[in-house]
């Protein structure tokens, strides 16, 4: 298995532009998580899905952020409009129910908003 | 409100010596704890975990200790190797019960370990 695949690896955009981050989870995993890493706050949970259904989006910072999972093999995280404070590394992770030894993370998308 | 805290942003040790990384938590509902390791430009990878019914779990050079009364856990690496140089994240599960029975992990801010040759 190729693992969790995220694209793009790097994204530089201007303030006010729309940004879409993409994630392909491991086949068969029924949970998908979006995390954001910053120096100050470490890894923050933004939202997670179970069987393509959003379960908890309380970590989504503002209405500018939205996430979808149209099918079991694809998820997007969209920021519209983007702001400089959104600059961070965004990670997607997937896991199987009952496997308590953790999640499999993708390599992340480094977002820079200028 | 950070429920999982790693108060040391960095740690430097000599090769062959012991590395001790610390983590504190505030939510008494947490019942499962994990350590992740992260290299630059990669995602975090699972390292070791411990359930709240135990106070120690060992896997090769890595041992995690849990002190529930103090709400504290630590990761010991013995002996430390240069390849262990990475950022280590502490994570905890519990405190939020999901309808589906799983709980999302809450992570700390990480500790950067540097092992000097």
């Amino acid at each position: 298995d190729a693992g969790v695949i995220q694209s793009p690896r790097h994204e530089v955009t201007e303030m006010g532009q729309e940004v879409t981050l993409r994630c392909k989870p491991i086949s068969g995993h029924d949970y998908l998580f979006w995390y954001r890493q910053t120096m100050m706050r470490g890894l923050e949970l933004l939202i997670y899905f179970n069987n393509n259904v959003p379960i908890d989006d309380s970590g989504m910072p503002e209405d500018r952020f939205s996430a979808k999972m149209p099918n079991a093999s694809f998820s997007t995280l969209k920021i519209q409009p983007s702001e400089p404070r959104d600059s961070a590394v965004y990670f997607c992770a997937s896991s199987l129910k009952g496997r308590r030894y953790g999640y499999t993370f993708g390599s992340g998308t480094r977002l820079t908003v200028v | 409100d950070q429920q999982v805290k790693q108060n040391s942003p960095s740690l430097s040790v000599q090769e062959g010596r012991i590395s001790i990384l610390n983590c504190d938590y505030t939510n008494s509902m947490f019942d499962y704890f994990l350590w992740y390791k992260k290299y630059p430009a990669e995602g975090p990878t699972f390292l070791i975990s411990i359930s709240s019914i135990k106070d120690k779990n060992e896997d090769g050079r890595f041992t995690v200790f849990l002190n529930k009364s103090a709400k504290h856990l630590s990761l010991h690496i013995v002996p430390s190797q240069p390849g262990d140089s990475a950022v280590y994240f502490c994570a905890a599960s519990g405190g939020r019960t999901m309808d589906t029975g799983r709980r999302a992990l809450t992570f700390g801010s990480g500790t950067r370990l540097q092992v000097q040759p």
Side-chain angles (χ1 to χ4, degrees):
Chain A
D1 198 318
V4 176
I5 300 173
Q6 291 187 247
S7 64
R9 289 297 306 271
H10 302 275
E11 177 79 37
V12 180
T13 190
E14 291 185 347
M15 182 174 62
Q17 295 297 306
E18 177 181 295
V19 176
T20 299
L21 311 181
R22 297 172 176 79
C23 176
K24 176 178 169 56
I26 290 175
S27 177
H29 280 191
D30 51 358
Y31 282 83
L32 184 140
F33 305 84
W34 283 101
Y35 281 86
R36 177 171 69 176
Q37 183 190 9
T38 61
M39 289 293 292
M40 293 300 295
R41 302 180 67 85
L43 280 165
E44 296 178 276
L45 176 69
L46 299 177
I47 186 172
Y48 72 89
F49 297 83
N50 175 233
N51 291 323
N52 313 337
V53 177
I55 302 300
D56 184 352
D57 65 354
S58 60
M60 297 286 261
E62 300 172 31
D63 291 345
R64 299 183 296 105
F65 285 69
S66 63
K68 295 181 179 179
M69 192 165 186
N71 58 62
S73 60
F74 184 66
S75 177
T76 60
L77 177 67
K78 185 178 294 186
I79 308 172
Q80 166 63 19
S82 57
E83 296 182 2
R85 59 188 167 135
D86 302 331
S87 298
V89 181
Y90 291 79
F91 288 100
C92 175
S94 68
S95 74
L96 278 172
K97 180 178 181 179
R99 295 191 71 183
R100 301 198 73 185
Y101 52 88
Y103 307 162
T104 302
F105 281 83
S107 298
T109 295
R110 180 174 294 277
L111 173 65
T112 303
V113 183
V114 298
Chain B
D1 177 28
Q2 285 194 302
Q3 299 186 63
V4 178
K5 300 178 183 179
Q6 295 177 256
N7 294 317
S8 298
S10 64
L11 175 67
S12 182
V13 300
Q14 290 291 321
E15 181 179 4
R17 306 295 289 269
I18 185 171
S19 295
I20 300 177
L21 296 96
N22 295 302
C23 178
D24 297 295
Y25 61 96
T26 57
N27 191 333
S28 58
M29 295 296 290
F30 286 148
D31 62 358
Y32 201 74
F33 305 88
L34 307 90
W35 284 94
Y36 279 77
K37 177 178 179 179
K38 183 186 178 303
Y39 291 117
E42 296 182 10
T45 55
F46 169 76
L47 186 58
I48 192 169
S49 64
I50 187 168
S51 166
S52 61
I53 63 173
K54 296 184 176 181
D55 54 19
K56 177 182 175 181
N57 187 28
E58 190 172 354
D59 183 2
R61 297 186 297 113
F62 302 90
T63 303
V64 57
F65 295 92
L66 175 63
N67 183 334
K68 284 179 290 185
S69 61
K71 293 190 176 66
H72 177 84
L73 66 156
S74 60
L75 174 68
H76 293 208
I77 307 174
V78 183
S80 302
Q81 300 174 354
D84 297 329
S85 298
V87 176
Y88 289 79
F89 288 98
C90 171
S93 174
R96 288 188 298 177
T97 301
M98 304 176 334
D99 292 342
T100 55
R102 279 294 302 274
R103 302 180 179 95
L105 294 178
T106 300
F107 284 84
S109 55
T111 296
R112 181 176 302 276
L113 172 66
Q114 188 164 10
V115 180
Q116 307 283 356

